[in-house]
Amino acid sequence: MDWIKLLSTKRFGQEDKHSPESTDVRTQFQRDYDRLIFSSPFRRLQNKTQVFPLPGSIFVHNRLTHSLEVSSVGRSLGNLLAEKLIEKKKVDADSGIKEIGSIVAAACLAHDLGNPPFGHSGEKALSHYFEKGEGAALKDRFSDEEWFDLTNFEGNANALRLLTHAFKGRRKGGFALTYSTIASIVKYPWESNKIPEVGKKKYGYFQVEKESYFKIAKELKIPEIGEGIYARFPLVYLVEAADDICYQIMDIEDAHKLNILSTAETKELLLNFYDSEKEKSSLDRINETCEEVTDTNEQIAFIRASVIGKLVGECVNVFLDNYDEILSGTFNGALIKEVEPTCKQAYKTCTGVAVQRIYRHRSVIEIELAGYKILGTLLEEFVSAVMEPDNFYSKNLLSLIPQQYDVSGENDYKKIMSVLDFVSGMTDVFALDLYRKIKGIELPEIK
């Protein structure tokens, strides 16, 4: 792959309006960032669960704060990589490479836009309805490829759909982002029925967006490495690394704030990222700061920031060490899994603690169970209505769906995809409120 082709300012769906010249004080990729941060789907992330239930007296991360932090780390990764590539003379400074920090920052803002309410249990609930729930009876209405999509709902693929799909009454190209920013969020550049072949659990685009992705890949000259399987766009590795760094480290900090982990445990987990002999000066600096700052939350925040900075440098080093393989599309794996041994072991330890003590914490399980029930019920109600739209109950139910979601589409697959657009775009609170009203648990108020 060639950076000259990879860094494209052409906007998806607005190709006829493309002009390389711009009088805007912002670059095209900075415009992508601003377009995302001012959007309604991005704003709704503030009311979507990240890991822990939405905050009471202690404010932990939601999807919005997580995405902002990932974007910040992603910008650092991109800027540092650009600096190193120019320094090592792998890329010319005037090739546009200095813009990759802006591209990665924008892509990081968008990376979770397709996730449904209630975290990963939301994805499982939507898939389960078609795989083993009432929706299983509908299988004969769909092609095998379409059925793979429905029984394996994927937030990553849904993000691509949200960014590129022309919803009813909206302009062509969805958000009309640059090709490069869109390509940077597609971590799994294949369709759902390729899952067994590639040996992964995730995929990058639904059948209805298949041609859209092919169009992007062709424009950016992303190679096809197998039938219907593409190489990763190089900046995907940076978006993925920013996400990996943030969710793992920030989940540890949240667990400390919620008293799931003690201060001593949390410090040990974070300080394990440093080699006690080779990085003694860094550890001394951390100790000096912790002696000056007596607030334990601030101590943890400082150490966490130091660890993130270290991991940014390590991930960029891994990218540079595997540069030729990444550009040829032959590199497999994630940058975070190839960092130097001390960091690698510390990250692995954090992952183990997170799985055992954070993701299985009672509050996390309770919100997952509630979300599973709520989304499964909403999907059952609205899919039944869209399949039988003419009865009294269905007509009333479908009237609750905003006009932008075209539930009278040209075929059953597109109708159900519109229902999934509606349900997956809900916030946790809206989904709960609608569930209560539909089930008669709570009556609506006149406002």
Side-chain angles (χ1 to χ4, degrees):
M1 288 176 271
D2 178 2
W3 288 111
I4 298 296
K5 296 291 185 182
L6 294 172
L7 303 178
S8 171
T9 57
K10 187 176 290 188
R11 295 191 172 276
F12 187 81
Q14 305 291 315
E15 293 84 358
D16 57 328
K17 300 177 182 178
H18 175 65
S19 172
E21 301 298 326
S22 175
T23 57
D24 199 317
V25 295
R26 303 166 298 165
T27 68
Q28 295 296 333
F29 305 119
Q30 289 169 345
R31 289 178 64 194
D32 284 348
Y33 182 95
D34 295 346
R35 192 168 291 186
L36 286 160
I37 210 165
F38 280 94
S39 70
S40 293
F42 182 75
R43 197 158 51 246
R44 287 198 294 270
L45 292 178
Q46 69 183 306
N47 200 231
K48 284 190 175 186
T49 298
Q50 175 66 16
V51 174
F52 296 104
L54 293 174
S57 58
I58 300 175
F59 200 95
V60 292
H61 287 82
N62 55 38
R63 289 281 179 191
L64 182 79
T65 51
H66 167 71
S67 296
L68 289 167
E69 289 170 352
V70 173
S71 181
S72 177
V73 173
R75 181 186 292 110
S76 296
L77 284 161
N79 287 342
L80 181 59
L81 177 62
E83 181 184 302
K84 296 288 186 183
L85 289 174
I86 294 169
E87 180 185 305
K88 292 178 179 293
K89 301 188 184 303
K90 289 183 177 291
V91 184
D92 291 334
D94 60 358
S95 63
I97 198 70
K98 292 181 180 179
E99 284 291 331
I100 64 175
S102 295
I103 298 171
V104 176
C108 287
L109 282 186
H111 85 283
D112 268 354
L113 283 185
N115 286 54
F118 303 108
H120 292 298
S121 68
E123 284 182 306
K124 292 174 184 174
L126 299 182
S127 299
H128 180 268
Y129 171 76
F130 293 104
E131 186 178 18
K132 297 181 180 177
E134 295 294 322
L138 302 173
K139 182 177 181 180
D140 291 342
R141 294 174 179 247
F142 306 99
S143 68
D144 290 343
E145 292 80 9
E146 291 168 347
W147 191 245
F148 260 100
D149 285 356
L150 299 178
T151 54
N152 296 276
F153 181 85
E154 174 57 54
N156 291 284
N158 201 40
L160 179 67
R161 175 171 172 79
L162 185 63
L163 294 178
T164 59
H165 181 65
F167 290 95
K168 191 175 180 181
R170 307 294 176 89
R171 66 178 174 179
K172 290 191 303 180
F175 277 64
L177 300 180
T178 61
Y179 277 54
S180 296
T181 296
I182 296 172
S184 296
I185 71 158
V186 185
K187 293 200 290 184
Y188 312 100
W190 50 79
E191 58 196 287
S192 59
N193 64 351
K194 299 292 183 182
I195 288 176
E197 185 177 340
V198 297
K200 302 283 187 180
K201 296 180 180 179
K202 297 177 179 291
Y203 61 98
Y205 45 85
F206 298 123
Q207 287 301 306
V208 73
E209 275 75 51
K210 183 176 178 178
E211 293 305 319
S212 294
Y213 182 74
F214 287 176
K215 182 179 180 181
I216 292 167
K218 183 178 180 181
E219 172 69 24
L220 302 179
K221 299 293 187 289
I222 301 172
E224 189 175 9
I225 56 176
E227 188 176 351
I229 301 170
Y230 285 81
R232 272 183 162 190
F233 185 71
L235 298 186
V236 165
Y237 290 101
L238 301 186
V239 174
E240 181 181 52
D243 190 27
D244 288 340
I245 291 169
C246 284
Y247 82 76
Q248 196 68 86
I249 303 303
M250 301 313 301
D251 287 351
I252 295 292
E253 185 176 9
D254 279 350
H256 174 258
K257 288 183 178 179
L258 293 169
N259 295 317
I260 295 171
L261 296 175
S262 70
T263 300
E265 288 176 301
T266 306
K267 283 185 176 180
E268 182 180 2
L269 286 168
L270 296 177
L271 292 174
N272 280 343
F273 283 88
Y274 292 89
D275 185 298
S276 58
E277 295 181 4
K278 296 178 181 178
E279 297 175 287
K280 187 176 182 301
S281 60
S282 296
L283 290 171
D284 287 344
R285 180 174 58 85
I286 290 172
N287 288 331
E288 287 173 11
T289 301
C290 287
E291 287 176 5
E292 177 186 353
V293 178
T294 56
D295 184 297
T296 54
N297 284 331
E298 284 301 302
Q299 289 178 347
I300 297 300
F302 177 77
I303 301 171
R304 175 262 300 156
S306 299
V307 170
I308 288 177
K310 178 174 169 55
L311 289 174
V312 165
E314 290 297 332
C315 286
V316 168
N317 287 340
V318 175
F319 192 107
L320 292 170
D321 289 343
N322 297 277
Y323 182 75
D324 292 338
E325 289 83 358
I326 289 173
L327 268 291
S328 65
T330 59
F331 181 72
N332 293 313
L335 301 182
I336 197 71
K337 292 184 178 180
E338 303 299 330
V339 293
E340 59 85 24
T342 299
C343 283
K344 187 174 184 178
Q345 182 56 50
Y347 190 86
K348 186 177 179 180
T349 301
C350 285
T351 300
V353 170
V355 170
Q356 294 168 18
R357 298 181 57 189
I358 298 176
Y359 305 146
R360 303 309 298 165
H361 189 265
R362 183 181 180 88
S363 66
V364 176
I365 292 174
E366 286 174 346
I367 197 69
E368 286 187 348
L369 290 172
Y372 197 87
K373 181 68 173 178
I374 291 165
L375 288 195
T377 300
L378 290 177
L379 193 59
E380 181 176 345
E381 293 283 347
F382 284 104
V383 168
S384 296
V386 85
M387 291 291 101
E388 299 178 9
D390 296 326
N391 64 53
F392 172 79
Y393 182 75
S394 293
K395 286 180 180 178
N396 283 332
L397 199 59
L398 293 176
S399 71
L400 299 178
I401 299 179
Q403 196 173 24
Q404 72 188 74
Y405 304 114
D406 187 8
V407 292
S408 59
E410 59 193 68
N411 57 50
D412 290 339
Y413 174 67
K414 290 187 176 180
K415 290 176 185 176
I416 287 184
M417 288 304 297
S418 291
V419 171
L420 288 169
D421 291 333
F422 174 50
V423 174
S424 66
M426 294 178 182
T427 63
D428 292 17
V429 171
F430 181 85
L432 174 59
D433 182 57
L434 187 57
Y435 168 83
R436 284 173 170 166
K437 288 170 181 172
I438 287 175
K439 300 306 289 184
I441 299 169
E442 179 182 291
L443 293 176
E445 298 177 3
I446 298 176
K447 298 179 181 178

